């Protein structure tokens, strides 16, 4: 393996070798390398295969815009990342990198057959090829595409790393620590403003790291950089964050920063987070993100060894790596000439500089001649050759815009430059407008919507002197706008490399352009001819061209490809670029790990789990749990050997035979208090409340103003001015919000106070014929005999020595009580009742049994048997409406024409013809099972259970005109058979006379 | 993430503390039974949905829990001002300098 490392050059530590592997091969780089620079130092250009055609690809760039050198990287178990950009990933000891999109190997890849089937995969192939026949999609296209394509491989283990997040506020946030950003930071920092300066790479400096020969303020660039960083470090008001990418620019100057903390470390300190998301609110933002170099578009511009000239300069000067010995430079901009000169001075032998312009500054051509480099001005490139590495380039003369005489030039690298695109992605996130500059052939920042300043190459300037001055001015202005006193400082620059260039469409060729593989978007394998095909096939808007060709839709969001694609589309359309327009940039600026977005919200802290005071008892007694809203609720209590069905049958039988205990603490509870409490209740709920006596309770039904059922629950009147409202478990917050809304904004004159008391009370339900016997000995200050405390009675008393609110209420059809005690006593109350209940063979039951018992009685669950489109009449609840009330929320809607028209879905019971069949909840119901598909659905099953008490299966369903279908047979088509069931209007399947609950 | 000024707390606070609550200045009729079906439909469902200044309700739900009103420019998403529930609808021309 040849070494392309140049001794004593670059900012790498030549005394610190670092071991790593690439596709299993052991290699060595240096501390300070990126993975890409280390591979290049080992003579490796071939770093991956392309996404669609599986063409061999080499590294193109030296930054986060890299489309080709995407690799899998791994540190250990649960620490595999696909699509790591080798140009960003710093080398660390033991780094394992693997190439992607190839099988069996990078050098020989079966999938490369796609490259020869190119015509099949042309623009729009997703839309054209795979539309028909349908079966082909399932059996052929999708499996083949999934197998052959895909960008890397998703990790299969859960992420072993931890992630952090942090908020920050600052006067001035500067994004990009190149010369403009550093000058801005000096200016703002010296003013005393709080400054954050961030850069996505490992080290501040930007282009200065690739331009060591520039002299600033009398010092060589790197000395000036060191002095500047020392001054900034000494300012307590300045914070510098490296390895930190500004991924999104949100409203009111909020910026998301993704900071990489440990991926570069040889060993990770225990507990250190891998990445941190910063949410920064800045008074002023300064964007100094520089410009992105464009490739030139010619046949074979994607061959390994063909790369951006600026990247080659960076590898040379920053990393001490010579990317080739005999490069040919192809350019439309002066900047690439300096790359050639730097390489020549470092010992490489640049063969030729091909400039597509007809006019190049004499100083450049003179200097090339001094280095013995051939200059070919006004030429075009029409091809390259070499299988896994470029070996020659085909250069033609151009006459009247047409390529003529070709000539092959042997080389080992091609360094291209198609000009520079101001990096305005973040600015675009703010919906700031872009203005086309026809001279620069670039979009520049136009109208601003935020307090933002753009300086340097990001607004089309070129050369260190001009961007330093611009950065200093922007930093000064930002500090002034943030209310600081700031004075601008000037910088002197010698040995600068100013320059100009042009932007062109694909280069002219003497060959069939239909056969050219002239790539625009390397990551998505989009060529110039794809863009022209899209225009020929009728795409007019750049947004359509983008979606048809997928140009710019890869993870790099077209950082390299957007302007080249636009130049070609505008040429094909015969319109000026600004009339064709630019596609929208969206956050994140670069691909960002899910972990960074999740931050601390993973595993146990992903989502809150609410537990009742009785939860520890349920856990100790082997409960199976289910999530209900954010609560974890005991679902059933299996005994050894029992499955859910066996446990639920036992719990149901025990409750109906003697007594069951149920933790109902999750019920939403709202205290409605105040002199106008009864008026408020009259207006909110459908039921009448004025005549409900103190010490009584009532089922309450809540509608939306649209007349649909929103919630329900038992509501007790504990005093003239005090209601204890219960809501569904999941509806508590919604109901309180709705009550507050009406109270604050519609009836602010009412003297009512609303308090959420859900978590203040633990609620134990005792249900079954022995419920009173069990409870009675514990009750003080209240007679709970059947006569003194009838069904729906409510009172405050003492239970087991605890202050309690006691309700005689039944959600099972049995004699029942619900005991509310302060939450801190809930577990003690439960344990006392449990102990005393042993003499009655008391049974703890969970939510599944609760559901069976309530369904046997036809009690609905709002949200399960209703879906937000059922009126009280639809649900058979007209009895819950106070007929004499002049108004309540939703009343007016109940007489709207649509609400009384035939054809509404209504809640009914369903009894299967085979009583042993339990219908599936959610199953669709039809009138005629033989009708052609798609069948007309009449409705669906909402609740369905096996009922021991009834001796058969029972179900509820919402069915079109259900109430008029008593006795009708309907059909429930299942995947392999059709079930039949009869409609019953009365959904009370068990004890319809209510003798048991009145006991 | 927007910063929203709560007129009760008198502070600019992050959007996360607030919940949107629909269009503002749509008062519930004092006696809904007097409304025709069409009038009641309009009260329930018909909203202005403007391109421009929108008067809307927000609730400082993870703060003081009060409902309040806001004028927000729907193109830029920018809040022009917020004010307490019950206060009159501000003049758009005064907010934006242009008549709507
Ligand atoms: Zn507030």
């Amino acid at each position: 393996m040849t070494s392309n490392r140049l001794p004593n050059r670059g900012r790498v530590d030549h005394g610190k070798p670092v071991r790593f592997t690439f596709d299993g091969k052991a290699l060595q780089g240096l501390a300070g390398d990126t993975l890409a620079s280390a591979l290049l130092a080992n003579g490796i250009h071939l770093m991956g295969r392309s996404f669609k055609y599986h063409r061999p690809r080499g590294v193109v760039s030296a930054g986060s815009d890299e489309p080709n050198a995407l690799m899998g990287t791994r540190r250990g178990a649960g620490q595999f990342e696909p699509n790591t950009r080798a140009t960003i990933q710093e080398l660390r000891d033991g780094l394992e990198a693997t190439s992607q999109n190839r099988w069996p190997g990078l050098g020989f890849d079966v999938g490369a057959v796609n490259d020869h089937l190119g015509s099949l995969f042309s623009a729009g192939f997703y839309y054209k090829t795979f539309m028909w026949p349908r079966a082909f999609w399932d059996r052929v296209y999708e499996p083949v595409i999934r197998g052959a394509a895909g960008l890397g491989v998703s990790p299969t283990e859960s992420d072993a790393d931890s992630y952090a997040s942090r908020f920050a506020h600052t006067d001035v946030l500067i994004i990009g620590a190149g010369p403009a950003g550093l000058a801005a930071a000096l200016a703002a920092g010296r003013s005393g403003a709080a400054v954050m300066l961030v850069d996505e790479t490992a080290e501040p400096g930007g282009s200065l790291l690739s331009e060591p020969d520039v002299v600033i303020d009398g010092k060589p660039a790197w000395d000036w950089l060191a002095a500047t960083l020392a001054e900034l470090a000494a300012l307590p008001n300045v914070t510098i964050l490296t390895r930190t990418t500004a991924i999104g620019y949100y409203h009111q100057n909020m910026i998301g920063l993704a900071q990489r903390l440990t991926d570069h470390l040889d060993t990770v300190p225990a507990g250190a987070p891998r990445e941190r998301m910063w949410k920064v609110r800045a008074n002023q933002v300064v964007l100094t993100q520089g410009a992105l170099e464009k490739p030139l578009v010619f046949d074979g511009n994607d061959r390994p060894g063909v790369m951006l000239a600026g990247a080659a300069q960076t590898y040379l000067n920053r990393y001490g790596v010579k990317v080739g010995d005999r490069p040919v430079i192809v350019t439309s901009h002066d900047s690439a000439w300096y790359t050639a000169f730097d390489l020549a001075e470092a010992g490489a032998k640049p063969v030729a500089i091909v400039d597509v312009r007809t006019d190049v500054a004499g100083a450049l051509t003179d200097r090339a001649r001094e280095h013995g480099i051939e200059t070919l001005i006004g030429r075009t490139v029409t091809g390259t050759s070499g299988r896994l590495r470029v070996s020659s380039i085909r250069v033609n003369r151009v006459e009247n815009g047409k390529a003529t005489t070709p000539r092959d030039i042997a080389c080992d690298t091609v360094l291209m430059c198609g000009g520079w695109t101001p990096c305005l992605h973040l600015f675009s996130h703010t919906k700031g407008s872009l203005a086309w500059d026809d001279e620069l052939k670039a979009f520049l920042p136009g109208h601003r919507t935020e307090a933002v300043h753009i300086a340097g190459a990001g607004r089309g300037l070129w050369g260190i002197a001009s961007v330093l001055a611009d950065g200093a001015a922007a930093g000064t202005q930002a500090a002034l706008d943030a209310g600081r006193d700031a004075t601008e400082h000037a910088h002197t620059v010698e040995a600068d490399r100013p320059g100009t260039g042009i932007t062109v469409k694909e280069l002219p060729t003497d060959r069939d352009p239909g056969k050219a593989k002239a790539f625009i978007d390397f990551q998505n394998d989009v060529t110039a001819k794809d863009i022209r095909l899209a225009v020929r096939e009728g795409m007019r808007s750049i947004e359509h061209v983008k979606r048809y060709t997928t140009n710019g839709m890869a993870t790099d969001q077209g950082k390299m490809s957007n302007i080249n694609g636009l130049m070609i589309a505008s040429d094909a359309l015969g319109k000026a670029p600004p009339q064709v327009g630019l596609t929208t940039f969206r956050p994140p600026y670069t691909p960002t790990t899910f972990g960074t977005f999740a931050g601390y919200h993973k595993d146990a802290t992903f989502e809150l789990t609410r537990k009742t005071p009785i939860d520890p008892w349920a856990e100790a007694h082997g409960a199976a749990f289910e999530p209900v809203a954010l609560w974890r609720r005991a679902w059933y209590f299996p005994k050894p050997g029992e499955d859910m069905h066996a446990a639920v049958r036992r719990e149901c039988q025990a409750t109906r035979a003697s007594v069951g205990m149920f933790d109902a603490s999750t019920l939403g509870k709202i205290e409605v208090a105040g002199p106008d409490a009864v008026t408020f209740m009259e207006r909110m709920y459908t039921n009448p409340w004025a005549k409900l006596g103190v010490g009584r309770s009532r089922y309450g039904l809540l509608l939306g103003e649209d007349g649909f059922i929103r919630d329900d629950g038992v509501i007790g009147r504990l005093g003239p001015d005090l209601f204890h409202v219960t809501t569904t478990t999941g509806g508590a917050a919604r109901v309180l919000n709705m009550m507050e809304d009406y109270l604050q904004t519609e009836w602010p004159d009412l003297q009512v106070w609303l308090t959420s008391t859900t978590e203040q009370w633990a609620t134990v339900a005792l249900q079954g014929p022995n419920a009173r016997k069990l409870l009675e000995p514990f009750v003080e200050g209240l007679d709970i005999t059947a006569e003194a405390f009838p069904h729906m009675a409510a009172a405050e008393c003492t239970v087991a020595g605890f202050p309690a609110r006691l309700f005689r209420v039944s959600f099972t059809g049995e004699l029942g009580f619900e005991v509310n005690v302060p939450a801190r006593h809930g577990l003690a109350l439960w344990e006392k009742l449990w102990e005393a209940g042993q003499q009655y063979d008391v049974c703890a039951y969970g939510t599944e049994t609760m559901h069976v018992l309530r369904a046997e009685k036809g009690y609905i669950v709002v949200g399960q048997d209703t879906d937000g489109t059922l009126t009280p009449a639809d649900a058979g609840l007209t009895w819950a409406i106070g007929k004499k009330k002049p108004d309540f929320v939703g009343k007016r809607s109940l007489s709207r024409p649509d609400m009384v028209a035939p054809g509404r879905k209504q809640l009914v019971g369903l009894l299967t013809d085979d009583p042993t069949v339990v219908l599936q909840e959610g199953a669709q119901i039809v009138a005629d099972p033989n009708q052609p598909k798609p069948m007309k659905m009449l409705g669906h099953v909402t609740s369905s259970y096996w009922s021991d008490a009834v001796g058969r299966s029972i179900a509820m369903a919402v069915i079109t005109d259900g109430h008029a279908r008593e006795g009708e047979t309907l059909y429930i088509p299942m995947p392999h058979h059709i079930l039949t069931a009869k409609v019953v209007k009365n959904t009370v399947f068990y004890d319809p006379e209510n003798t048991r609950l009145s006991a | 993430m927007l910063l929203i000024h709560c007129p009760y707390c008198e502070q600019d606070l992050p959007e996360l503390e607030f919940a949107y609550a629909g269009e503002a200045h749509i008062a519930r009729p004092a006696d809904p039974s007097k409304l025709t079906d069409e009038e009641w439909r309009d009260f329930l469902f018909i909203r202005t949905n403007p391109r421009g200044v929108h008067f809307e309700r927000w609730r400082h739900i993870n703060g003081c829990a009060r409902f309040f009103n806001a004028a927000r420019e729907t193109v830029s998403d920018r809040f022009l001002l917020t004010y307490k529930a019950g206060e009159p609808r501000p003049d758009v021309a005064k907010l934006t300098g242009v008549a709507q």
Side-chain angles (χ1 to χ4, degrees):
Chain A
M1 185 67 60
T2 57
S3 175
N4 291 325
R5 185 80 66 182
L6 298 165
N8 305 319
R9 198 171 177 112
R11 299 176 71 82
V12 288
D13 188 342
H14 290 268
K16 265 199 191 162
V18 178
R19 295 168 301 113
F20 70 106
T21 65
F22 178 57
D23 284 342
K25 188 180 168 67
L27 296 167
Q28 198 168 287
L30 295 176
D33 261 329
T34 62
L35 181 51
S37 69
L39 287 167
L40 287 169
N42 284 279
I44 297 171
H45 273 264
L46 175 61
M47 295 192 195
R49 288 267 176 177
S50 72
F51 175 56
K52 198 159 93 180
Y53 299 132
H54 287 226
R55 285 168 69 90
R57 288 283 167 80
V59 65
V60 185
S61 76
S64 65
D65 49 345
E66 176 59 33
N68 285 346
L70 309 180
M71 299 179 182
T73 52
R74 191 174 179 278
R75 192 193 280 275
Q79 294 178 303
F80 173 80
E81 182 184 76
N83 300 313
T84 304
R85 285 154 297 159
T87 50
I88 290 292
Q89 175 62 50
E90 293 165 61
L91 204 62
R92 64 171 185 247
D93 191 49
L95 175 68
E96 298 169 38
T98 46
S99 59
Q100 299 183 156
N101 305 337
R102 86 293 189 276
W103 184 86
L106 192 52
F108 173 74
D109 169 30
V110 170
V113 69
N114 289 0
D115 197 15
H116 302 290
L117 301 175
S119 58
L120 182 67
F121 288 92
S122 61
F125 86 106
Y126 291 104
Y127 307 108
K128 287 188 285 204
T129 314
F130 304 117
M131 288 303 287
W132 187 89
R134 164 78 204 188
F136 244 62
W137 173 260
D138 294 334
R139 284 184 224 136
V140 183
Y141 297 138
E142 198 186 357
V144 168
I145 292 171
R146 287 222 184 281
L151 205 56
V153 178
S154 287
T156 51
E157 300 163 286
S158 81
D159 191 339
D161 284 306
S162 64
Y163 296 83
S165 72
R166 190 177 288 182
F167 288 93
H169 295 262
T170 189
D171 291 330
V172 181
L173 170 64
I174 302 164
I175 297 167
L182 289 165
L186 280 175
R190 285 169 183 168
S191 80
V195 174
M196 285 178 80
L197 172 65
V198 302
D199 195 275
E200 66 175 338
T201 72
E203 196 181 5
S207 60
L208 296 181
L209 302 174
S210 311
E211 301 260 5
D213 297 333
V214 178
V215 176
I216 305 171
D217 297 339
K219 298 188 189 81
W222 291 0
D223 292 347
W224 181 85
L225 176 60
T228 299
L229 292 174
E231 180 182 343
L232 293 173
L235 290 170
N237 51 317
V238 176
T239 305
I240 299 178
L241 299 177
T242 55
R243 304 184 177 93
T244 302
T245 307
I247 56 166
Y249 194 146
Y250 307 94
H251 283 113
Q252 287 165 287
N253 271 4
M254 200 189 89
I255 316 290
L257 305 175
Q259 183 183 22
R260 300 182 303 282
L261 298 165
T262 59
D263 274 4
H264 62 290
L265 298 176
D266 293 343
T267 50
V268 179
R274 180 176 174 228
E275 298 182 6
R276 174 181 291 128
M277 178 75 85
W278 290 77
K279 294 163 204 168
V280 181
R281 188 76 70 170
N283 187 309
Q284 302 290 313
V285 170
V286 180
L287 297 176
T288 44
Q289 296 182 279
L292 297 167
E293 194 172 15
K294 288 189 288 276
L296 285 164
V297 182
F298 55 87
D299 185 25
N301 64 345
D302 68 326
R303 213 173 287 282
V306 182
M307 66 194 302
L308 294 169
Q313 188 175 322
T314 296
Y315 287 118
L316 178 70
N317 292 322
R318 182 166 178 178
Y319 300 103
V321 175
K322 188 175 56 171
V323 297
D325 288 314
R326 290 172 299 114
V328 167
I329 289 84
V330 187
T331 186
S332 67
H333 195 280
D334 296 346
S335 62
W337 290 73
Y338 294 106
T339 301
F341 305 153
D342 283 0
L343 278 163
E345 281 154 22
K349 297 267 176 265
V351 183
I353 299 174
V354 181
D355 202 312
V356 304
R357 298 174 292 178
T358 52
D359 192 15
V360 176
L364 294 175
T365 49
D366 290 348
R367 193 161 160 199
R369 247 171 252 122
E370 285 164 27
H371 284 295
I373 307 170
E374 185 179 4
T375 57
L376 299 164
I377 309 299
R379 309 297 164 99
T380 184
V381 174
T382 55
T384 61
S385 62
R387 197 172 80 82
L388 298 177
R389 172 86 183 258
V390 67
S391 59
S392 75
I393 182 166
R394 190 169 181 268
V395 180
N396 302 49
R397 290 181 177 281
V398 179
E399 282 160 28
N400 302 320
K402 298 234 180 317
T404 59
T405 350
R407 173 187 155 196
D408 286 310
I409 303 173
C411 60
D412 64 356
T413 34
V414 172
L415 308 180
M416 57 184 170
C417 174
W420 297 78
T421 307
C423 184
L424 289 167
H425 294 64
L426 285 175
F427 179 71
S428 295
H429 296 175
T430 67
K431 293 188 182 163
S433 65
L434 299 175
W436 178 255
D437 184 303
D438 204 49
E439 194 177 328
L440 287 171
K441 293 279 185 284
F443 285 101
L444 298 181
H447 173 72
R448 287 144 216 232
T449 63
E450 298 282 354
V452 59
H453 311 258
I454 302 113
R459 65 181 195 96
L461 301 178
W462 199 251
I464 303 293
S466 62
V467 306
L468 273 175
D470 203 41
T476 305
Q477 191 59 49
L480 288 169
D481 291 352
R484 303 280 170 174
D485 280 331
T487 44
E488 202 171 324
H489 300 257
H491 299 280
T492 64
V493 176
E494 298 153 66
D496 198 4
R497 293 166 158 187
T500 60
I502 61 169
T503 292
V504 294
K505 56 188 168 63
E506 73 269 49
L507 300 185
T509 181
D510 57 335
R511 290 169 159 176
D512 177 1
K515 292 205 171 123
K517 294 233 163 89
F519 284 89
I520 300 171
D521 185 329
F522 292 79
Q523 206 182 40
N524 266 358
D525 272 346
V526 180
T527 63
K529 69 169 189 281
D530 289 328
I531 302 274
R532 293 190 180 275
L533 179 66
V535 171
R536 272 205 307 282
E537 296 195 346
M539 308 302 141
R540 289 293 174 270
S541 147
I542 196 69
E543 294 286 356
H544 292 158
V545 171
K546 165 179 162 174
R547 279 155 187 80
Y548 201 60
T549 62
T550 74
N551 190 53
M553 286 172 70
T555 59
D556 59 349
Q557 284 198 59
K559 288 187 177 67
M560 286 184 188
S561 62
N562 266 328
I563 297 297
N564 281 339
L566 173 62
M567 294 303 287
I568 293 164
S570 85
D571 181 65
L573 285 163
K575 286 184 185 170
Q579 270 76 60
V580 180
L582 195 62
T583 54
T584 312
F585 297 113
R586 293 189 177 86
Y589 174 67
T590 53
T592 307
T593 61
F594 283 111
T596 305
F597 285 106
Y600 301 113
H601 302 286
K602 71 181 281 215
D603 302 328
T605 50
F606 175 67
E607 191 174 61
L608 167 86
T609 300
R610 301 174 78 182
K611 293 179 184 174
T612 74
I614 296 153
D615 180 272
W617 188 94
E619 183 164 301
H621 286 75
F625 291 96
E626 68 164 341
V628 180
L630 288 173
W631 292 97
R632 118 170 160 154
R633 299 196 71 181
W635 192 7
Y636 55 96
F637 290 86
K639 293 202 160 160
E642 279 185 339
D643 63 5
M644 183 171 93
H645 290 288
V648 168
R649 284 182 75 168
R650 176 180 49 73
E651 291 171 15
C652 288
Q653 284 165 0
T655 302
R656 294 221 185 275
S658 177
V659 61
M661 278 173 68
F662 177 65
D663 178 6
S665 304
T666 66
L667 275 183
K669 304 169 204 80
I670 298 167
E671 193 145 302
V672 178
D676 296 319
V678 69
T679 306
F680 181 74
M681 291 300 295
E682 284 277 320
R683 293 183 188 179
M684 289 303 301
Y685 279 78
T686 64
N687 321 64
W689 302 99
K691 288 184 184 154
L692 182 71
V694 171
R696 297 290 300 166
S697 62
R698 175 166 284 165
Y699 171 80
L701 187 63
L702 182 71
L703 308 182
E705 204 67 272
D706 54 14
F708 296 126
I709 295 170
R710 287 289 196 281
D711 203 81
D712 67 353
V714 169
I715 296 166
R717 190 167 192 179
L718 297 174
D721 300 343
L722 179 63
F723 288 85
H724 178 108
V725 174
T726 67
T727 73
T728 57
T729 292
R734 271 197 307 276
V735 172
L736 181 64
N737 189 65
M738 184 173 162
M739 287 183 173
E740 284 284 357
D741 192 347
Y742 278 89
L743 182 60
Q744 289 184 32
T745 69
E746 300 291 356
W747 312 313
D749 52 310
L750 293 187
Q751 288 201 61
V752 175
W753 288 268
L754 303 170
T755 310
S756 167
T757 53
T758 303
E759 295 192 346
Q760 268 55 55
W761 298 106
T763 308
V764 179
L766 296 176
Q767 303 278 312
N770 285 322
R772 185 184 293 113
K773 277 190 213 157
L774 170 55
L775 180 63
E776 210 156 20
F778 290 96
V779 178
E780 292 170 58
L782 186 69
D783 178 358
I784 63 163
T785 56
E787 302 70 37
F789 201 67
H791 184 53
M792 300 309 269
E796 291 183 284
C797 60
T798 301
V799 176
F802 306 124
R805 286 183 178 177
L806 181 64
F807 289 77
R808 180 154 169 211
V809 62
S810 173
F811 201 43
T812 60
E814 302 295 334
L815 165 65
F817 297 89
E818 283 181 7
V819 191
N820 294 275
V821 295
R824 64 186 181 280
H825 302 308
L827 184 56
L829 173 71
W830 178 279
E831 285 175 336
K832 284 175 194 238
L833 291 170
W834 179 254
E835 195 187 339
Q838 295 310 309
Q839 58 184 307
Y840 304 110
D841 294 324
V842 66
C843 171
Y845 66 90
T847 51
E848 189 66 20
T849 290
M850 178 270 283
H851 272 284
V852 176
L853 298 175
R854 66 90 194 171
E856 288 171 344
K857 290 294 292 179
Y859 297 146
I860 65 162
V861 169
V862 170
Q864 176 169 342
D865 300 300
T866 70
D867 63 358
T869 67
L870 260 60
T871 65
D874 297 337
L877 296 172
T878 36
W879 56 266
I881 293 176
K883 304 285 182 304
K884 291 180 193 147
K885 295 195 346 175
D887 190 21
F888 56 80
V889 173
K891 178 179 167 71
R892 177 65 184 85
S893 289
L894 298 180
S895 58
R896 287 185 60 233
D898 289 345
M899 306 292 260
V900 294
R904 296 195 59 78
K905 284 190 178 170
Q906 295 164 331
L907 188 73
V908 292
L910 267 190
L911 293 175
T912 48
D913 289 350
D914 178 347
T916 65
V917 166
V918 180
L919 294 171
Q920 277 191 22
E921 290 177 355
Q924 297 289 324
I925 299 160
V926 301
D928 170 13
N930 299 315
Q931 62 186 300
K933 293 175 189 171
M935 296 189 183
K936 180 175 167 45
M937 311 290 188
L938 292 179
H940 70 280
V941 178
T942 61
S943 289
S944 177
Y945 304 95
W946 171 257
S947 167
D948 265 338
V950 187
R952 57 156 301 135
S953 69
I954 56 169
M956 287 191 267
V958 288
I959 296 175
T960 307
D961 294 320
H963 292 162
R965 292 180 188 268
E966 177 74 32
E968 218 175 281
T969 296
L970 296 176
Y971 300 86
I972 301 97
M974 300 303 290
H976 303 295
H977 55 288
I978 293 167
L979 301 172
T980 55
K982 285 200 176 54
V983 176
V984 290
K985 194 178 169 189
N986 184 356
T987 55
V988 185
F989 301 103
Y990 182 68
D991 186 25
E993 294 78 29
N994 285 337
T995 50
R996 299 181 67 88
L997 63 76
S998 314
Chain B
M1 185 164 49
L2 295 165
L3 285 174
I4 301 177
H5 183 82
C6 175
Y8 295 97
C9 295
E10 297 187 332
Q11 279 186 302
D12 293 337
L13 296 160
E15 193 181 336
L16 289 174
E17 296 191 12
F18 298 85
Y20 181 68
E23 186 163 359
H25 300 294
I26 299 174
R28 188 176 192 272
D31 185 357
S33 69
K34 291 229 168 69
L35 270 63
T36 65
D37 286 335
E38 288 69 29
E39 287 167 339
W40 184 250
R41 174 202 65 199
D42 290 356
F43 162 72
L44 283 181
F45 304 121
I46 304 302
R47 298 294 179 264
T48 58
N49 193 25
R51 186 182 199 279
V53 179
H54 187 231
F55 295 95
E56 59 196 25
R57 307 186 321 133
W58 286 78
R59 186 179 183 204
H60 192 188
I61 186 155
N62 296 311
C64 67
R66 300 294 297 268
F67 284 85
F68 60 88
N69 291 331
R72 189 175 55 92
E73 164 62 54
T74 60
V75 176
S76 68
D77 253 1
R78 206 150 295 248
F79 280 83
L80 302 174
L81 87 164
T82 56
Y83 52 102
K84 292 177 180 174
E87 290 180 6
R89 179 198 299 258
D91 184 349
V92 173
K94 276 192 190 137
L95 293 176
T96 61
V98 285
Q100 281 226 319

